[in-house]
Amino acid sequence: MALATDFLQDVGPKKLGWCFNVYLIQLWEEPDKNNEEKINSIDIQDIKGTRVQGSIPDSLFKQWRG
């Protein structure tokens, strides 16, 4: 059975667990405000076209880099 997928535009405080199906649009390097050696910024989009920016763990950033 397939999991129900949530959309980014539906995020709100009434639910704690989410299941997103998103595309990586852009991965860029921006220093963390608390530690300039950490770089971990990401831009993602869901299938409805809603885009969000965020940060990801350093280990995942290194995996997607290049």
Side-chain angles (χ1 to χ4, degrees), residues 22-59:
V22 296
Y23 300 95
L24 177 63
I25 301 297
Q26 183 178 12
L27 186 67
W28 72 95
E29 298 182 9
E30 183 175 319
D32 187 299
K33 62 183 174 183
N34 297 321
N35 181 355
E36 292 189 14
E37 293 182 12
K38 288 183 85 175
I39 299 172
N40 56 356
S41 297
I42 190 171
D43 188 9
I44 58 175
Q45 176 178 327
D46 70 10
I47 59 173
K48 284 190 171 183
T50 305
R51 288 186 179 199
V52 295
Q53 294 178 353
S55 61
I56 58 174
D58 193 40
S59 60

